[in-house]
Amino acid sequence: MKANIQEDRGINEKQNIENTQNRIKNGFAFTLKSTCLDENYHPSSETRLTTNFANLARGGNRQQNLRNALNMINNRFNALAHLDNPKADRYLVELEIITVTMRIDDQNGGSNLPLIEVLKTNIFDRKTSQRIEGIAGNNFSSYVRDYDFSILLIEHNRNKPNFCIPENFGDLHGKLYKCFVGSATYKEHFKMSPIICLSVSSNKTYTRTEYQHPVLGFEYLQDQYSITDGYFSKMGLKVRFFMPLNSVAPMAFYHSGDLLADYTDLGLISSISTMETFQKIYRPEIYNANSVAGEIYQPSLKHEDYSLTRVDYDREERSQLAVEQGKYAEEHFIKPYKSLLEQWSANFTL
């Protein structure tokens, strides 16, 4: 009798594993939550506190911080979208915080785990009273990325004489991102693939080319591939560097497809105005510098000739929280589902 019970238990466990394997063959189930980012925004308990908008929305000056940042975004947008906009007040940028959770089912049941958080832009045209869809991907952040850069990469290089990248670094994160962007859930909510706009690297050199895009501005070329470039390439993203009109430094635009053909001018302007504003706030040494990048440009966070915005931002706290949230990802995501995630990643195809 005891042998039969053990045999039945073994069969049930095998069936549970097989059911789990079947459920994850075609990817995971994703859920989206949208929250308006305006001057009344309060970070929820589910929000990744390292996200730049959450950093602004805390403390005694939280409402003024948000109001100032949103005003900067709108002013920059209208300056770039100047056609048929004589008073520079035609457009209003509306921001949504998109929080993505991923459901993982195993023999112990199901869990909804936080995965990605981004800002999505929408544009309201006061002249026509129309809302125009913008672009997702702004202020991209992810728990797995926090784990990879703040935990895994640091531990891998501890006590090593020369810095190196772990084997398969970014593979899981890249496949999870591709799985989400390729999912029916993403396609239901977004018409265009994301653009992830980041600061240029402070240890790379950039050279301006002769090419000038009407919205993105002058293109720059990078002298070397960066760790971030490699990490994002595993997400299926390429990078180009542009410095828009009246900007002082180029920005990195990570994208799939054709950056110059797949997006509308207003969509690109919404990403530029949003991300340049956040860059000015938390990278003022580069993006709020009092001098403009030359033909050959070396960014530096030690640059002293820059101006501060009227927005409070705690960079030190953000760095500390990145480590904490990397540990959270390790504890609640990486370790508990290690074998399941490894199996899914090994079999994942688009």
Side-chain angles (χ1 to χ4, degrees):
M1 183 71 172
K2 185 175 180 182
N4 289 337
I5 291 174
Q6 290 176 338
E7 183 178 348
D8 290 343
R9 184 177 298 161
I11 292 171
N12 289 335
E13 287 178 356
K14 183 179 179 180
Q15 288 175 340
N16 285 334
I17 292 171
E18 288 176 350
N19 289 337
T20 299
Q21 291 172 350
N22 289 332
R23 281 195 294 271
I24 66 172
K25 274 184 180 178
N26 297 317
F28 299 101
F30 299 100
T31 302
L32 302 188
K33 177 184 176 183
S34 174
T35 305
C36 178
L37 177 59
D38 58 20
E39 64 182 52
N40 298 311
Y41 165 69
H42 288 270
S44 74
S45 58
E46 299 174 355
T47 293
R48 296 178 65 261
L49 295 180
T50 55
T51 49
N52 301 310
F53 44 84
N55 191 294
L56 304 185
R58 298 199 301 280
N61 295 327
R62 52 164 303 283
Q63 191 169 51
Q64 190 63 49
N65 271 348
L66 290 167
R67 187 180 297 132
N68 289 343
L70 293 170
N71 284 338
M72 289 171 65
I73 292 170
N74 284 315
N75 291 338
R76 182 62 170 135
F77 186 99
N78 281 286
L80 288 170
H82 55 82
L83 296 178
D84 199 16
N85 188 8
K87 294 184 179 180
D89 63 356
R90 176 173 174 173
Y91 299 102
L92 179 68
V93 180
E94 299 173 334
L95 298 175
E96 292 178 82
I97 302 167
I98 305 297
T99 304
V100 182
T101 57
M102 184 179 82
R103 182 173 179 82
I104 293 186
D105 294 322
D106 62 11
Q107 56 265 37
N108 298 317
S111 297
N112 290 312
L113 300 169
L115 184 66
I116 291 170
E117 204 158 47
V118 297
L119 287 183
K120 162 78 162 37
T121 61
N122 294 293
I123 305 122
F124 180 68
D125 186 340
R126 289 189 172 105
K127 183 176 181 179
T128 64
S129 296
Q130 290 182 324
R131 276 186 170 78
I132 304 162
E133 183 172 357
I135 296 173
N138 304 284
N139 271 299
F140 173 85
S141 60
S142 105
Y143 276 98
V144 178
R145 184 183 173 208
D146 277 342
Y147 165 76
D148 282 342
F149 278 90
S150 299
I151 305 297
L152 179 63
L153 190 60
I154 302 301
E155 289 299 321
H156 180 76
N157 283 282
R158 193 177 301 280
N159 299 323
K160 288 186 178 179
N162 298 311
F163 182 85
C164 61
I165 305 298
E167 186 179 2
N168 302 322
F169 184 66
D171 282 6
L172 174 62
H173 181 267
K175 290 175 181 179
L176 289 171
Y177 174 85
K178 289 179 181 178
C179 184
F180 168 59
V181 173
S183 70
T185 303
Y186 184 88
K187 293 170 184 176
E188 284 173 16
H189 290 85
F190 309 105
K191 294 178 182 177
M192 294 171 282
S193 59
I195 292 177
I196 299 174
C197 181
L198 302 180
S199 169
V200 286
S201 174
S202 59
N203 60 5
K204 299 290 182 287
T205 300
Y206 300 84
T207 302
R208 191 170 69 207
T209 70
E210 295 298 317
Y211 177 68
Q212 184 177 14
H213 184 270
V215 172
L216 294 167
F218 278 106
E219 183 166 21
Y220 277 72
L221 298 179
Q222 186 178 233
D223 65 335
Q224 288 179 305
Y225 212 46
S226 71
I227 297 174
T228 299
D229 297 339
Y231 193 83
F232 277 63
S233 72
K234 295 189 176 183
M235 299 160 61
L237 303 178
K238 301 165 286 188
V239 63
R240 294 180 74 170
F241 305 91
F242 286 92
M243 186 169 74
L245 181 67
N246 294 328
S247 296
V248 297
M251 293 186 290
F253 294 86
Y254 292 89
H255 61 284
S256 59
D258 190 334
L259 178 64
L260 308 186
D262 292 348
Y263 305 92
T264 65
D265 286 353
L266 290 180
L268 291 173
I269 291 171
S270 72
S271 280
I272 292 168
S273 58
T274 299
M275 291 314 303
E276 189 176 87
T277 293
F278 280 105
Q279 302 286 13
K280 285 182 176 180
I281 292 168
Y282 64 84
R283 289 283 187 271
E285 300 92 339
I286 296 175
Y287 291 98
N288 216 28
N290 295 324
S291 57
V292 180
E295 291 185 12
I296 299 175
Y297 177 59
Q298 171 70 64
S300 174
L301 292 174
K302 296 180 179 179
H303 184 67
E304 296 182 351
D305 184 21
Y306 64 91
S307 300
L308 293 174
T309 65
R310 296 177 60 195
V311 179
D312 294 331
Y313 184 86
D314 193 333
R315 283 200 298 201
E316 183 177 350
E317 179 193 49
R318 183 174 184 268
S319 298
Q320 294 169 350
L321 286 171
V323 175
E324 291 180 19
Q325 291 178 169
K327 291 178 180 177
Y328 176 92
E330 182 179 36
E331 179 181 350
H332 296 278
F333 189 89
I334 302 297
K335 286 184 175 178
Y337 301 101
K338 186 175 186 295
S339 60
L340 187 152
L341 290 168
E342 286 177 350
Q343 181 200 355
W344 172 81
S345 181
N347 293 295
F348 173 77
T349 55
L350 285 176

